[in-house]
Amino acid sequence: MRIELSADGFAVVGTLRAAYRKALQQALPPESTDVFIAFTGQAATAFRTASDT
């Protein structure tokens, strides 16, 4: 079973991402924020790829 987001769902995700980034920027130094965001993006891609097999 696969669940896909609607246009409204993508809008909500965008809002959550912006809030998440803002919270990270307030909690971490800029260089750590960028590294953390890159890492979590790569991890999400790896999990997505693993779940497709």
Side-chain angles (χ1 to χ4, degrees):
M1 173 187 265
R2 185 176 190 132
I3 298 172
E4 295 186 25
L5 289 174
S6 65
D8 289 341
F10 276 106
V12 170
V13 169
T15 299
L16 291 173
R17 281 184 177 164
Y20 186 69
R21 180 179 280 275
K22 184 176 180 181
L24 285 174
Q25 288 171 334
Q26 292 174 348
L28 300 170
E31 62 278 3
S32 296
T33 301
D34 294 341
V35 169
F36 183 79
I37 289 171
F39 167 77
T40 55
Q42 291 173 351
T45 299
F47 287 131
R48 201 173 306 112
T49 300
S51 70
D52 288 342
T53 58

